[in-house]
Amino acid sequence: MATADVVALHAELSNWGRWGADDQLGALNLITPDVTAAAAATVRSGRTVSCARPLNTEPGPDNPVPVAHHMIGTATEGWGADYFALAPHGFATSHIDALCHIFHDGKLFNGYDTGTVTAHGATRLGIHHLRNGIVTRGVLLDIPAVRGVDALEPGEPVFAEDLEASEQKAGVSVRAGDALLVRTGRWSWRDAHGPWDFATRAAGLDAGCLAWLRSHDVATLGSDGVSDVLPSRVEGVGMPIHEIAIVALGLHLMDNLDLDAIAAACADEGRWEFLFVVAPLVLRRGTASPVNPIAVF
Amino acid sequence: MATADVVALHAELSNWGRWGADDQLGALNLITPDVTAAAAATVRSGRTVSCARPLNTEPGPDNPVPVAHHMIGTATEGWGADYFALAPHGFATSHIDALCHIFHDGKLFNGYDTGTVTAHGATRLGIHHLRNGIVTRGVLLDIPAVRGVDALEPGEPVFAEDLEASEQKAGVSVRAGDALLVRTGRWSWRDAHGPWDFATRAAGLDAGCLAWLRSHDVATLGSDGVSDVLPSRVEGVGMPIHEIAIVALGLHLMDNLDLDAIAAACADEGRWEFLFVVAPLVLRRGTASPVNPIAVF
Amino acid sequence: MATADVVALHAELSNWGRWGADDQLGALNLITPDVTAAAAATVRSGRTVSCARPLNTEPGPDNPVPVAHHMIGTATEGWGADYFALAPHGFATSHIDALCHIFHDGKLFNGYDTGTVTAHGATRLGIHHLRNGIVTRGVLLDIPAVRGVDALEPGEPVFAEDLEASEQKAGVSVRAGDALLVRTGRWSWRDAHGPWDFATRAAGLDAGCLAWLRSHDVATLGSDGVSDVLPSRVEGVGMPIHEIAIVALGLHLMDNLDLDAIAAACADEGRWEFLFVVAPLVLRRGTASPVNPIAVF
Amino acid sequence: MATADVVALHAELSNWGRWGADDQLGALNLITPDVTAAAAATVRSGRTVSCARPLNTEPGPDNPVPVAHHMIGTATEGWGADYFALAPHGFATSHIDALCHIFHDGKLFNGYDTGTVTAHGATRLGIHHLRNGIVTRGVLLDIPAVRGVDALEPGEPVFAEDLEASEQKAGVSVRAGDALLVRTGRWSWRDAHGPWDFATRAAGLDAGCLAWLRSHDVATLGSDGVSDVLPSRVEGVGMPIHEIAIVALGLHLMDNLDLDAIAAACADEGRWEFLFVVAPLVLRRGTASPVNPIAVF
């Protein structure tokens, strides 16, 4: 897409004001109690699957700032206890972005001023607004499966047509209030080829998918990458999915998920929909939370 | 109870070996896929409720080691980003204990040696074994409601009879595989009276409840306190619920939950059972995780 | 002092521009190489004395946010290694304040804008400008010794007359370029009476001492408290010593030192002057450093 | 050297018991008050020079676990304040090793058992024993200057002959109680060639230098690398300087110093000796401290 076209999407796809001037939840408003109850009703086998990577304490090219994890109680102290510290954004931690994470033109989602994000934390759109969790239908679109490969190449884009082909293959239609998970095969590729500088080359959605996300009224979007294809293929816009999906659509993004186990489970169950539960930590005025999203079949 | 009686419970109530010599999950094994599916089938209204306190960054008599939470991106940096650090055990953080947290007589649950818990972390019974989450039926027993008070007094014990009276009042029977939540009204008491040195005086279960927990085959136990009544009323045994429920029964305990909102929701919905989801962070060889358990009605 | 009088001191005592428009060191400029060499020439016995408290990991009323200190290598790992984390400002850590720590009327020392202090750190007056250390003559004024008590009472003010009486008793005259250490006996008082809420009641300098500090051209000021008497005795100005000494005079303050050992050493050596060395960590754009100042007799 | 020869050095060069069975300071005992006073008497110009690198918050191949540094007060909060966290051992931080850092055959220096190093910290040989600082004569041996190069190559060994050639060139003789600084030119090499995996290839002392260090009764040893040449050139012994100098000689090692500025100052002053002051943070039972050693000419 051309730069101007992407910038124009901010206005074209905007959800500002759609849920009121004081709204703090964005597209999560699409998950009404009815949507939640319907999602629970899809449960059949009771199998549960994590969509998170372990917190990564090992430095490496795709984990520049590792999680600190220290034991403060061991055999010699008479109990087991530990401590950990992390900056949840970053390319190795499964996390959910709060809507205060990304700015556009001096504004956050819904038109809040970026001046609300200070060293005190974010007084608007903090992650704590998600305290009651996300409980909705999840849908997995497994792009490598559609293309007949194990994993997309780093930097390989995913287009709206891929999403639709994947829907068709899975026999499922993405609808309002869904949690959409898009698998690129990142971790399979890493298992085969080793770590690389993920920040500069990542499979993910082309900016052309933004209109599709908006028209389908997806409630939240997750990926085993960062949803964005990197490089972005749009000059001057580093991460158009982040910049437009978060700020204009009000979409909470889940980055660096592990979608390999759930892809296998979907194939095994023959179903690409499931009950999907995300339970962010209640970090007041925070910009993200590490999460372990759970799918229930 | 007498000290010797409590010590004897280790052998009497033991679940060691019940799920195999290599078992890492303890009583969570009671949550079979069937139990999970049945729990999902209880969902009616789709209302979701958090059972967690916000992570507490304010020092105080009941929060001696506050969570560190710092912003690393703000308006001036062009994005919102943050960092946090915590020791999840402690009296102000809603967390789930891994089975490697508590020792008895040189052993962990299932007979593992405490020497497996080193500065490297716990090579047995680490919190990462819960990566696929806990998804089961939750039952709330609201003890103050049974006693006709807003909150129990700090140090006030809860007996097995109270649990049964509460079951009866709620019209629900605790059964194998349930997540049992016992409300003492801690936070209501704190709202009314201010913070106090919770570590020395806390409402909670008398050691006499341990046999009840075992005979009902509860899968996990949570409380707005630390499950134990403090002081413990058993000479020489500081926290018998922790020491026997974790080490002998293999029960993952959830401490310092917030059960006020869910108590209100239960009363409003007229139901004291719900789908209950806990999604611990995948901290390899860790001894606990902060959690935000979600109830779905 | 009256509020207006204190506010007026900002202009009256200002060192802005005295060492150039780009100066980053403030009154430390008074420590010329000659001053340093003369200080080294005062060394006689070779006795060395620490002026720091141990980093405090124990929570308490005078240590609301304890230092985190965790072992990451122990006997079982085959080496000893650790990790620590702290916010150096605070009432239990011996530290030196960078000049970017305190603001007045939208400005830092030398007229820099407070907008230079962002989540990126302080681009002016950061602690890293002290990388070559402070090496000068130190002078200890032991106020309780002058008053014939073990320790001042929390909240007890120190006046310019006390400083002069103490000089006379010690047989030493404070001169340009000195590091001035003022002992109030805080830790002796704590040893005798236990910890208290130091933030609200502390012995220290009355605002009337500011003119004295300026006329004597002290290069840096340290105390076993926070230099300021608390409460400040000046309505509407919480910490006049911090607010004027740092912002107007450009004085680096050293807070929460331990001056008991050095007071004993001075009495024993019969000298209240010594070579004084402070070696702040080189924390780029930082606002402070924990320090262990060393006196050499 | 052959492996067996290096192992034999533990007994041959041992200082165990030399300063008593309870000694906690090792070779620092060689710095008597007389040595300190004599060192102060060498001061001429008053020039001070830091020997530390800035704390490094940037991840990279030679900084796998960067220092965390976050602002907790900025322009919007009304004051400047920050927080930092680090594990001082590691290849980018200027630090001093406590004697409890390295083990040999189940023992620490002076024969203490490694079982004294637990998650509680080290009850023997902790860094807090250095609270009164190191104040002695420092001597810089600039090896690249002797060899007529800017910097040694990564992996290039330094032999006892090089130390002696450097002494001769500098016109200085290393004597008992000295702080010996050996420059390899690490940072100059890095400036010219970029960062590399320092842990696997570093210029430093060959194990053959150990006898020289012992016979000269050096009190502490510092380097811009880790003192050891890497790889070590001794099969089966990864870091013989660390393993023997710390455990057998009781030598506190200072790693990752910056010796470029001091080398320039020495050349400029025409003197390779100076007053040298190290002021470790008082971290009780700690295994190291980040330091900013200061040279005074």
Side-chain angles (χ1 to χ4, degrees):
Chain A
M1 293 182 75
T3 309
D5 294 340
V6 170
V7 171
L9 291 177
H10 271 284
E12 286 169 29
L13 305 182
S14 169
N15 276 324
W16 291 15
R18 179 170 171 191
W19 299 286
D22 292 333
D23 176 48
Q24 305 296 319
L25 289 174
L28 293 179
N29 283 289
L30 295 163
I31 307 174
T32 59
D34 283 354
V35 167
T36 295
T42 67
V43 171
R44 300 280 175 276
S45 70
R47 178 200 293 220
T48 69
V49 181
S50 165
C51 297
R53 299 286 294 177
L55 290 175
N56 191 341
T57 59
E58 296 294 322
D62 55 355
N63 192 27
V65 184
V67 174
H69 179 213
H70 310 309
M71 296 295 283
I72 57 180
T74 67
T76 48
E77 280 66 54
W79 68 332
D82 50 5
Y83 168 97
F84 69 99
L86 76 162
H89 301 291
F91 292 113
T93 301
S94 301
H95 68 267
I96 186 164
D97 290 334
L99 295 181
C100 59
H101 173 47
I102 298 289
F103 308 164
H104 179 76
D105 233 354
K107 298 293 181 188
L108 308 178
F109 170 72
N110 221 23
Y112 298 120
D113 197 88
T114 58
T116 56
V117 185
T118 73
H120 279 323
T123 55
R124 293 292 180 283
L125 303 174
I127 197 66
H128 60 286
H129 292 291
L130 277 62
R131 71 175 299 166
N132 288 327
I134 299 173
V135 186
T136 190
R137 186 178 77 147
V139 170
L140 177 73
L141 299 184
D142 186 350
I143 310 302
V146 165
R147 296 210 182 142
V149 295
D150 282 339
L152 303 191
E153 295 290 314
E156 190 174 341
V158 174
F159 300 104
E161 304 85 85
D162 296 304
L163 303 178
E164 294 185 346
S166 184
E167 275 185 295
Q168 206 150 15
K169 184 170 195 299
V172 66
S173 293
V174 173
R175 63 177 181 239
D178 277 350
L180 176 62
L181 306 179
V182 179
R183 179 174 178 269
T184 68
R186 172 184 178 186
W187 305 109
S188 299
W189 206 90
R190 189 185 193 275
D191 287 346
H193 302 280
W196 75 99
D197 183 5
F198 176 82
T200 60
R201 250 179 344 126
L205 302 190
D206 180 80
C209 297
L210 284 160
W212 193 96
L213 294 170
R214 175 70 173 79
S215 67
H216 285 73
D217 260 347
V218 164
T220 178
L221 171 67
S223 172
D224 47 4
V226 291
S227 286
D228 275 284
V229 65
L230 301 176
S232 74
R233 307 160 45 91
V234 182
E235 208 178 297
V237 184
M239 298 180 78
I241 303 293
H242 270 66
E243 295 172 42
I244 293 163
I246 293 181
V247 183
L249 278 67
L251 217 52
H252 288 80
L253 299 186
M254 293 171 287
D255 294 338
N256 313 310
L257 301 181
D258 189 331
L259 301 178
D260 287 358
I262 195 175
C266 284
D268 189 48
E269 301 264 345
R271 307 170 58 210
W272 280 260
E273 64 164 13
F274 36 81
L275 173 64
F276 187 71
V277 181
V278 188
L281 298 178
V282 188
L283 197 54
R284 277 183 288 217
R285 302 183 298 281
T287 71
S289 174
V291 288
N292 179 11
I294 303 291
V296 189
F297 285 88
Chain B
M1 292 182 76
T3 309
D5 294 340
V6 169
V7 172
L9 292 177
H10 271 284
E12 286 169 29
L13 305 181
S14 170
N15 276 325
W16 291 15
R18 180 171 172 190
W19 299 286
D22 292 334
D23 176 48
Q24 305 297 319
L25 290 173
L28 293 179
N29 283 290
L30 295 163
I31 308 174
T32 59
D34 283 354
V35 166
T36 296
T42 67
V43 171
R44 300 280 175 276
S45 70
R47 179 201 293 219
T48 69
V49 181
S50 166
C51 298
R53 299 286 294 179
L55 290 175
N56 190 342
T57 59
E58 295 294 322
D62 55 355
N63 192 27
V65 184
V67 174
H69 179 214
H70 310 309
M71 295 296 282
I72 57 180
T74 67
T76 48
E77 280 66 53
W79 69 330
D82 49 6
Y83 168 97
F84 69 98
L86 75 162
H89 300 292
F91 292 113
T93 301
S94 300
H95 68 267
I96 186 164
D97 290 334
L99 295 182
C100 59
H101 173 47
I102 298 289
F103 308 164
H104 178 76
D105 233 352
K107 298 291 180 190
L108 308 178
F109 171 72
N110 222 24
Y112 298 120
D113 197 86
T114 58
T116 56
V117 185
T118 73
H120 279 323
T123 55
R124 293 291 180 284
L125 304 175
I127 196 67
H128 60 286
H129 292 290
L130 277 63
R131 71 175 299 166
N132 287 328
I134 298 172
V135 186
T136 190
R137 186 178 76 148
V139 170
L140 176 74
L141 299 184
D142 185 351
I143 309 302
V146 165
R147 296 210 182 141
V149 295
D150 282 338
L152 303 191
E153 295 290 314
E156 190 174 340
V158 174
F159 300 104
E161 304 86 85
D162 296 304
L163 302 179
E164 295 184 346
S166 184
E167 274 185 295
Q168 205 149 15
K169 183 169 194 300
V172 66
S173 293
V174 173
R175 63 178 181 239
D178 277 350
L180 176 62
L181 306 178
V182 178
R183 179 174 178 271
T184 68
R186 172 185 178 185
W187 305 109
S188 298
W189 206 90
R190 189 185 193 275
D191 288 345
H193 302 279
W196 75 99
D197 183 4
F198 176 82
T200 60
R201 247 176 350 121
L205 301 190
D206 181 79
C209 297
L210 284 160
W212 194 95
L213 294 170
R214 175 70 172 79
S215 67
H216 285 72
D217 260 347
V218 164
T220 178
L221 171 67
S223 171
D224 47 3
V226 290
S227 285
D228 275 285
V229 65
L230 299 176
S232 73
R233 306 160 45 90
V234 182
E235 210 178 297
V237 184
M239 297 180 80
I241 303 293
H242 269 67
E243 296 173 41
I244 293 164
I246 292 180
V247 183
L249 279 67
L251 216 53
H252 288 79
L253 299 186
M254 293 172 287
D255 294 337
N256 313 311
L257 301 180
D258 189 330
L259 301 178
D260 287 359
I262 195 176
C266 284
D268 189 48
E269 300 265 344
R271 306 171 57 211
W272 279 261
E273 64 165 15
F274 36 80
L275 173 64
F276 187 70
V277 182
V278 188
L281 298 177
V282 189
L283 198 54
R284 278 182 286 217
R285 303 182 298 281
T287 70
S289 174
V291 287
N292 179 12
I294 304 291
V296 189
F297 286 88
Chain C
M1 293 183 75
T3 308
D5 294 339
V6 170
V7 171
L9 292 176
H10 271 283
E12 287 169 30
L13 306 180
S14 171
N15 276 325
W16 290 16
R18 181 172 171 189
W19 299 285
D22 292 334
D23 177 48
Q24 306 296 320
L25 290 173
L28 293 178
N29 284 288
L30 296 163
I31 308 175
T32 60
D34 283 354
V35 166
T36 296
T42 66
V43 170
R44 300 279 176 275
S45 71
R47 179 200 293 220
T48 68
V49 181
S50 165
C51 297
R53 298 286 296 178
L55 291 175
N56 191 342
T57 58
E58 296 294 322
D62 54 356
N63 193 26
V65 184
V67 173
H69 179 212
H70 310 309
M71 296 295 283
I72 58 180
T74 68
T76 46
E77 281 66 54
W79 69 330
D82 50 6
Y83 167 98
F84 69 98
L86 75 162
H89 300 291
F91 292 113
T93 300
S94 299
H95 68 267
I96 185 163
D97 290 334
L99 295 181
C100 59
H101 173 47
I102 298 289
F103 308 163
H104 177 75
D105 232 353
K107 297 293 179 189
L108 308 178
F109 170 73
N110 222 21
Y112 297 120
D113 198 88
T114 58
T116 57
V117 185
T118 73
H120 278 323
T123 55
R124 293 291 181 284
L125 303 175
I127 196 67
H128 60 288
H129 291 291
L130 277 62
R131 70 175 297 165
N132 288 328
I134 298 173
V135 186
T136 192
R137 186 178 76 146
V139 170
L140 177 73
L141 298 184
D142 186 351
I143 309 303
V146 166
R147 296 211 180 142
V149 296
D150 284 338
L152 304 191
E153 296 290 314
E156 191 174 341
V158 175
F159 300 104
E161 303 87 84
D162 297 304
L163 302 178
E164 295 186 347
S166 182
E167 275 184 296
Q168 206 151 15
K169 183 169 194 301
V172 67
S173 292
V174 173
R175 62 175 182 242
D178 278 351
L180 176 62
L181 305 179
V182 179
R183 179 173 178 270
T184 67
R186 173 185 178 186
W187 306 109
S188 299
W189 207 90
R190 189 185 193 276
D191 288 346
H193 302 280
W196 76 97
D197 183 4
F198 176 83
T200 61
R201 249 177 347 123
L205 301 189
D206 180 80
C209 297
L210 284 160
W212 193 97
L213 294 170
R214 176 68 173 80
S215 66
H216 285 72
D217 260 347
V218 164
T220 178
L221 171 67
S223 171
D224 47 3
V226 290
S227 287
D228 274 285
V229 65
L230 300 176
S232 73
R233 304 160 45 89
V234 182
E235 208 179 299
V237 184
M239 298 180 80
I241 303 293
H242 270 67
E243 295 172 42
I244 293 163
I246 292 180
V247 182
L249 277 69
L251 217 53
H252 288 80
L253 299 186
M254 293 172 287
D255 295 336
N256 313 310
L257 301 180
D258 189 331
L259 300 177
D260 287 358
I262 195 175
C266 284
D268 188 48
E269 300 264 343
R271 306 169 60 210
W272 279 262
E273 63 165 16
F274 36 81
L275 174 63
F276 186 69
V277 182
V278 188
L281 298 178
V282 189
L283 197 55
R284 277 182 289 217
R285 302 183 298 280
T287 70
S289 174
V291 288
N292 178 12
I294 304 292
V296 190
F297 285 89
Chain D
M1 294 182 73
T3 309
D5 294 339
V6 170
V7 171
L9 292 177
H10 271 284
E12 287 168 29
L13 305 181
S14 171
N15 276 324
W16 290 16
R18 180 172 170 189
W19 299 286
D22 292 335
D23 176 48
Q24 306 296 318
L25 289 174
L28 293 179
N29 283 290
L30 296 163
I31 308 174
T32 60
D34 283 354
V35 167
T36 296
T42 67
V43 170
R44 300 281 176 275
S45 71
R47 180 202 292 221
T48 69
V49 181
S50 166
C51 297
R53 300 285 295 178
L55 291 175
N56 190 342
T57 58
E58 296 295 322
D62 55 356
N63 193 27
V65 183
V67 174
H69 179 213
H70 309 308
M71 296 295 283
I72 56 180
T74 67
T76 47
E77 280 67 55
W79 70 331
D82 49 7
Y83 167 98
F84 69 99
L86 75 163
H89 300 293
F91 292 112
T93 301
S94 299
H95 68 267
I96 186 164
D97 289 334
L99 295 181
C100 59
H101 173 47
I102 297 289
F103 309 163
H104 178 75
D105 232 353
K107 297 292 179 189
L108 308 179
F109 170 72
N110 221 21
Y112 298 119
D113 197 88
T114 58
T116 56
V117 185
T118 72
H120 278 324
T123 55
R124 293 291 180 284
L125 304 174
I127 196 67
H128 60 287
H129 292 290
L130 277 62
R131 71 175 296 166
N132 288 328
I134 299 173
V135 186
T136 190
R137 187 179 74 147
V139 170
L140 177 73
L141 299 184
D142 186 351
I143 309 303
V146 166
R147 297 212 180 140
V149 296
D150 283 340
L152 304 190
E153 295 291 313
E156 191 174 341
V158 174
F159 300 105
E161 304 86 84
D162 296 305
L163 302 178
E164 295 185 347
S166 184
E167 275 184 297
Q168 205 150 16
K169 183 170 197 296
V172 67
S173 293
V174 173
R175 62 177 183 242
D178 277 350
L180 176 62
L181 305 180
V182 179
R183 179 173 178 270
T184 67
R186 172 184 179 187
W187 305 109
S188 298
W189 206 91
R190 188 185 193 275
D191 287 346
H193 302 279
W196 75 98
D197 182 5
F198 176 83
T200 61
R201 249 178 345 124
L205 302 189
D206 180 80
C209 297
L210 284 160
W212 194 96
L213 294 170
R214 175 69 172 79
S215 66
H216 285 72
D217 260 349
V218 164
T220 178
L221 172 66
S223 171
D224 48 2
V226 290
S227 286
D228 276 285
V229 65
L230 299 176
S232 74
R233 305 159 43 89
V234 182
E235 208 179 299
V237 184
M239 298 180 80
I241 303 293
H242 269 68
E243 295 172 42
I244 293 163
I246 292 181
V247 182
L249 278 68
L251 217 52
H252 288 80
L253 299 186
M254 293 172 288
D255 294 337
N256 313 311
L257 301 181
D258 190 330
L259 300 177
D260 287 358
I262 194 175
C266 284
D268 188 48
E269 301 264 345
R271 307 169 59 210
W272 279 262
E273 64 164 16
F274 36 81
L275 173 65
F276 187 70
V277 182
V278 188
L281 297 178
V282 189
L283 197 53
R284 277 182 288 217
R285 302 183 299 280
T287 70
S289 173
V291 288
N292 178 12
I294 303 291
V296 189
F297 286 87

